[in-house]
Amino acid sequence: MHQISLWQDLERNDTERVINVASVPLRSPFRYPGGKTWLVPYIRQWLYSKPTSPELMLEPFAGGGIVSLTAIAERLVKHAIVVELDEQVAAVWHTIINDSGGGEWLAEKIINFELSANSVREALDHDTSSTREIAFKTILKNRVNRGGILAPGAGLVKHGENGKGLSSRWYPGTLRKRIIEITRMRDRITFIEGDGLEILKRYQGDPNAVYFIDPPYTVSGKRAGARLYTYPNIDHEGLFNIAENLKGDCLITYDDTEEVKELALKHGFCAKTVAMKNTHHAKMKELLISKDFMWL
Ligand SMILES: C[S@@+](CC[C@H](N)C(=O)[O-])C[C@H]1O[C@@H](n2cnc3c(N)ncnc32)[C@H](O)[C@@H]1O
């Protein structure tokens, strides 16, 4: 049985209250557009409701990977498989998880980088085919681009936090700590660069798996995901076709639109809105989709 939750930040049925993300340990080296740090208390509640820790969590749209990282760090699941299609993001996960010594290399590279307008420009213009170097460029870009956006066309931070400009999100010591923490858990995480839908299909018959599915939000064609990600387009109907046949339990997140609710209902899911704050601190609703919400 799971231990009783030590976290008091989510009351049962309290889906109206915005989660205070300051109460959630930040474990990802990314600040990810559409990141799910705010969802962590729900993830804990979902996984604590299981009689035993699931053998496997599959996260087919990893991005910054905060959900799998939390589930592994807090031993809410035994193993996690995370999948990402974007080669820039994948380079980071390959380096930290699949490359022995890669995480340590990346952490040192970050610590030794002297950030200035010139050094940023030079580093980002540097053409390289080395996965480690691409990983470094990705982390740098993620930290100096407005909103952490890695997709083409994203601009640099202008004023940043407290007018600190480019350096406002560059915390080398914190990044090193997070990266090293992940390297310590790497035997419990598998990273796959590829199409999340394919991998989901591959593992669909596993009754001991749980699936956390957070796709780009592009159902109506013009929603948020379209400008945030290099790969914003997925087959949403195809995703629901696979999801309804998963043997294990799944939790899907989407933006709160009528099209998504219809899609969910059509495929036999329930949908529930939860409160969150977007990057501009505006209170919004997002949609949680699952077979049932007995745990919430
Ligand atoms: C909403 S974001 C995930 C955010 C993540 N949950 C977090 O907390 O950081 C969706 C991610 O799916 C990725 N993606 C898009 N199409 C994909 C595909 N076919 N397979 C795997 N990943 C994909 C995007 O690059 C993006 O990183």
Side-chain angles (χ1 to χ4, degrees):
M1 290 287 281
H2 289 301
Q3 66 190 80
I4 292 167
S5 171
L6 295 172
W7 293 278
Q8 301 299 316
D9 45 9
L10 187 65
E11 304 275 328
R12 207 169 157 75
N13 293 319
D14 190 7
T15 53
E16 287 292 320
R17 195 154 66 89
V18 173
I19 299 291
N20 175 12
V21 286
S23 68
V24 177
L26 303 177
R27 303 183 189 275
S28 174
F30 289 97
R31 56 191 192 106
Y32 214 79
K36 291 296 175 293
T37 306
W38 63 270
L39 192 69
V40 162
Y42 290 96
I43 298 292
R44 289 174 179 147
Q45 188 148 324
W46 174 45
L47 295 174
Y48 273 132
S49 74
K50 308 276 167 221
T52 55
S53 306
E55 292 295 322
L56 177 69
M57 167 175 274
L58 175 56
E59 187 172 2
F61 304 99
I66 184 63
V67 168
S68 291
L69 293 176
T70 302
I72 287 294
E74 297 178 5
R75 297 192 183 264
L76 304 176
V77 298
K78 300 208 171 85
H79 196 93
I81 298 178
V82 291
V83 186
E84 174 58 56
L85 189 62
D86 183 326
E87 2 351 57
Q88 300 179 81
V89 180
V92 173
W93 294 127
H94 275 309
T95 300
I96 303 177
I97 292 166
N98 295 342
D99 171 359
S100 161
E104 291 77 359
W105 177 90
L106 183 58
E108 283 317 298
K109 179 94 181 171
I110 289 169
I111 285 290
N112 293 326
F113 184 72
E114 289 199 17
L115 188 125
S116 68
N118 277 342
S119 66
V120 166
R121 198 174 322 111
E122 214 173 281
L124 296 185
D125 285 348
H126 172 57
D127 212 9
T128 176
S129 57
S130 145
T131 303
R132 286 185 177 188
E133 294 285 355
I134 296 170
F136 172 70
K137 277 176 70 171
T138 304
I139 292 290
L140 180 61
K141 213 198 253 191
N142 177 248
R143 293 279 147 183
V144 299
N145 272 6
R146 204 175 314 134
I149 299 174
L150 295 164
L156 293 177
V157 162
K158 285 216 177 67
H159 305 296
E161 274 172 10
N162 311 319
K164 279 170 70 197
L166 280 186
S167 65
S168 74
R169 304 276 180 168
W170 185 249
Y171 307 122
T174 304
L175 288 171
R176 169 163 67 180
K177 187 164 165 275
R178 290 189 199 160
I179 290 168
I180 297 300
E181 285 298 315
I182 301 169
T183 64
R184 295 195 176 122
M185 312 189 286
R186 53 196 277 268
D187 56 330
R188 291 185 285 137
I189 307 175
T190 300
F191 172 68
I192 301 174
E193 178 175 358
D195 179 3
L197 271 81
E198 286 302 312
I199 309 297
L200 206 49
K201 240 189 274 169
R202 197 184 295 168
Y203 286 88
Q204 68 183 358
D206 187 342
N208 300 314
V210 290
Y211 308 86
F212 173 65
I213 304 175
D214 182 25
Y217 299 167
T218 45
V219 166
S220 58
K222 55 179 170 14
R223 307 290 303 181
R227 66 185 164 74
L228 298 183
Y229 310 116
T230 308
Y231 296 96
N233 299 314
I234 65 150
D235 173 6
H236 295 280
E237 181 86 50
L239 172 61
F240 274 95
N241 279 331
I242 302 170
E244 73 179 326
N245 290 310
L246 295 172
K247 278 274 181 301
D249 196 10
C250 73
L251 183 62
I252 310 175
T253 54
Y254 261 101
D255 52 352
D256 179 19
T257 68
E258 286 311 311
E259 292 104 313
V260 176
K261 278 187 210 154
E262 269 171 34
L263 204 50
L265 291 182
K266 185 176 141 192
H267 289 272
F269 287 99
C270 312
K272 200 166 175 122
T273 52
V274 289
M276 55 89 66
K277 272 191 189 160
N278 68 8
T279 43
H280 308 296
H281 305 289
K283 190 172 170 182
M284 290 175 57
K285 299 267 188 195
E286 284 219 10
L287 214 52
L288 297 188
I289 296 167
S290 192
K291 287 282 180 207
D292 71 66
F293 284 102
M294 305 276 276
W295 51 274
L296 194 57

